[in-house]
Amino acid sequence: MDISLPQKDFLALTDFTREQLTALLDLADDMKRAPAEYRTALTGKSLGMIFHKQSTRTRISFEVGMYQLGGAALFFSPSDMHLSRGESISDTGKVLSRYLDAIMIRTFAYEEIVELAQHATIPIINGLTDYNHPCQALADMMTLREHFGTLAGRKLTYIGDGNNMAVSLLFACIRMGMHISIASPPNYTITPKAMEWILDDAEKNNLEICLTDNIEEAASGADVVYTDVWASMGQEEERKTRLHDLADYTVDDMVMSFAKPDAVFMHCLPAHRGEEVSASVIDGPRSIVFDQAENRLHLQKAILYGLIQ
């Protein structure tokens, strides 16, 4: 299956149309079904991976993905590069463009990735920022297609902090024709700026976006219930406050009862049982969290292939 992404970079899901994202999902499905057909697809190609945040799934899935496609992946922590000593993002991008075929970066500020993409001449992939997490959200769409067959008209409910995961799920759902409701305490809802990116799409396609602090309202009739940790990397000093403020937003069996009888539970991991989700839910029969984790590999192989084949 042949596909080339029209954009040079993979920074945000709002940069792509539904048709383009669907083509990526189709490719990821094909790679999962017939991995042997792609073993030499990126032979001789190299991916640089810059990590300013710790990682399990992102690092391993990209590294293994490049290996399975015949290429090589190089890991860089801040201390491995002169970025930690003040070298500019622009100079780094220009230099690495002379050595590599693509860069995946996992960092804090989204603006850093945008700046890197502006100065690099090779594709830049957003492995996560404090603003968004497009690779995870699109892998989630792949997982839901596998489970339900279709996405259009389904409803996803996100419960908890309106963080980077909530923003990317909002983008993914509206792009793929899904309704979305987000239940958060008033001070933890997603930013109005994030809403601006997608409101026109929602209106044109008669899709519902519900932002509320009422969990039952949000989860009623949901096909999917999703949550994430309450204190992400970089928010450790806020952890005690966040655990207090979000204490009523645990996804437990009662919350799942508000959703449809065949609704599934999702979490991007790592998870803290007893905080944002009960053990009975994440370890129960409705949980598909490990399918999500696996599909990071297949989806990211599709992104790599689409950008640097």
Side-chain angles (χ1 to χ4, degrees):
M1 185 176 181
D2 193 21
I3 177 177
S4 294
L5 293 178
Q7 284 79 9
K8 175 176 78 75
D9 307 303
F10 191 84
L11 306 186
L13 297 182
T14 46
D15 295 333
F16 299 88
T17 65
R18 184 185 301 187
E19 292 72 24
Q20 291 162 352
L21 294 177
T22 298
L24 263 181
L25 294 177
D26 291 342
L27 176 59
D29 288 342
D30 198 51
M31 288 180 155
K32 184 174 183 178
R33 180 171 54 250
E37 295 182 10
Y38 297 90
R39 281 184 185 149
T40 60
L42 297 183
T43 297
K45 302 292 186 179
S46 56
L47 172 71
M49 305 187 302
I50 302 173
F51 284 87
H52 291 173
K53 289 189 173 188
Q54 294 173 318
S55 170
T56 297
R57 281 150 292 276
T58 298
R59 176 179 178 178
I60 295 171
S61 55
F62 270 109
E63 195 162 335
V64 172
M66 277 299 288
Y67 172 78
Q68 291 184 355
L69 293 172
L74 295 81
F75 171 86
F76 304 107
S77 69
S79 61
D80 295 324
M81 307 181 72
H82 284 290
L83 280 170
S84 63
R85 298 179 61 244
E87 184 168 21
S88 69
I89 289 282
S90 60
D91 285 355
T92 299
K94 291 172 183 176
V95 169
L96 293 183
S97 295
R98 304 293 182 103
Y99 304 142
L100 303 167
D101 295 288
I103 298 169
M104 187 282 298
I105 179 169
R106 182 178 172 93
T107 189
F108 292 90
Y110 180 67
E111 291 74 19
E112 288 184 11
I113 292 184
V114 172
E115 183 180 358
L116 183 62
Q118 288 172 343
H119 294 280
T121 57
I122 57 176
I124 305 300
I125 301 169
N126 179 353
L128 174 140
T129 69
D130 287 347
Y131 172 62
N132 63 344
H133 196 357
C135 293
Q136 176 69 58
L138 197 55
D140 295 335
M141 296 298 106
M142 176 183 179
T143 308
L144 290 174
R145 282 209 324 179
E146 286 180 338
H147 188 83
F148 290 115
T150 59
L151 297 175
R154 298 282 178 182
K155 176 183 175 180
L156 184 146
T157 294
Y158 176 91
I159 296 173
D161 180 27
N163 59 13
N164 52 1
M165 203 60 247
V167 168
S168 283
L169 287 169
L170 171 66
F171 293 166
C173 285
I174 299 304
R175 274 290 189 261
M176 301 310 297
M178 295 177 66
H179 308 291
I180 182 169
S181 58
I182 300 174
S184 306
N187 292 335
Y188 290 82
T189 192
I190 65 171
T191 64
K193 180 182 177 182
M195 290 288 292
E196 291 174 7
W197 285 99
I198 211 73
L199 275 177
D200 284 346
D201 266 17
E203 292 173 2
K204 289 176 184 175
N205 294 286
N206 295 315
L207 297 172
E208 295 179 5
I209 300 174
C210 174
L211 303 182
T212 180
D213 61 0
N214 187 302
I215 294 175
E216 183 172 1
E217 176 189 2
S220 178
D223 298 284
V224 188
V225 179
Y226 200 120
T227 193
D228 190 10
V229 295
W230 290 342
S232 300
M233 287 174 285
Q235 298 173 331
E236 288 79 7
E237 293 182 2
E238 306 171 27
R239 178 171 170 76
K240 186 175 180 180
T241 299
R242 285 174 162 272
L243 262 60
H244 174 269
D245 293 347
L246 288 152
D248 293 332
Y249 287 78
T250 298
V251 176
D252 54 19
D253 294 304
M254 176 62 75
V255 172
M256 292 300 296
S257 74
F258 301 144
K260 290 180 179 178
D262 64 344
V264 296
F265 171 76
M266 302 183 86
H267 192 305
C268 55
L269 301 179
H272 296 155
R273 290 164 175 80
E275 292 181 11
E276 75 274 6
V277 61
S278 67
S280 61
V281 170
I282 193 170
D283 298 320
R286 303 170 79 175
S287 174
I288 56 173
V289 299
F290 297 111
D291 293 335
Q292 288 175 261
E294 177 190 344
N295 283 337
R296 290 290 302 279
L297 171 64
H298 309 299
L299 188 280
Q300 281 153 198
K301 285 168 66 176
I303 293 171
L304 290 166
Y305 182 85
L307 290 175
I308 61 177
Q309 61 175 304

